[in-house]
Amino acid sequence: ISSLNDLDLQTLMGYVQPAIVGIAIKNSGRDFQKRILSLLPREKAEEAFRTMRTPISNEEDGIKRAQNKILNTLISLCRRKQIIL
């Protein structure tokens, strides 16, 4: 996902709930977190950031599930030719 250009990332993030984004980027590098959050509309970025900073039970499992949801969304968008890899 980090290899996607900004336009494709914006498209992808438009189909993912901000809370899922926040959980998925929880263990990512700070630069990638900033990149993702900067591409979201302010309201969604703030919600994703709050979720990212909130401790969750079973964190590793939650992060994996959120990342898988985003990957499945990416695959779906590729199949519909909305994102070209």
Side-chain angles (χ1 to χ4, degrees):
I1 289 178
S2 63
S3 65
L4 292 174
N5 63 43
D6 287 353
L7 183 60
D8 287 340
L9 270 175
Q10 281 180 317
T11 300
L12 175 61
M13 293 302 131
Y15 287 91
V16 180
Q17 294 176 7
I20 301 297
V21 173
I23 293 169
I25 64 174
K26 216 173 186 34
N27 282 348
S28 299
R30 190 172 299 267
D31 288 340
F32 185 68
Q33 290 174 347
K34 285 181 182 179
R35 181 177 173 214
I36 294 292
L37 294 174
S38 72
L39 293 173
L40 293 172
R42 184 176 183 91
E43 225 173 81
K44 289 185 175 189
E46 287 175 352
E47 184 180 340
F49 182 76
R50 277 192 304 273
T51 305
M52 184 179 77
R53 302 294 293 164
T54 304
I56 58 172
S57 60
N58 248 350
E59 191 167 277
E60 289 300 318
D61 186 47
I63 291 170
K64 281 283 184 216
R65 287 181 30 217
Q67 290 172 344
N68 284 335
K69 279 189 178 194
I70 292 175
L71 284 175
N72 288 334
T73 303
L74 176 60
I75 290 166
S76 176
L77 290 171
C78 288
R79 286 183 181 148
R80 290 188 278 171
K81 305 219 187 294
Q82 289 182 287
I83 293 179
I84 309 260
L85 295 179

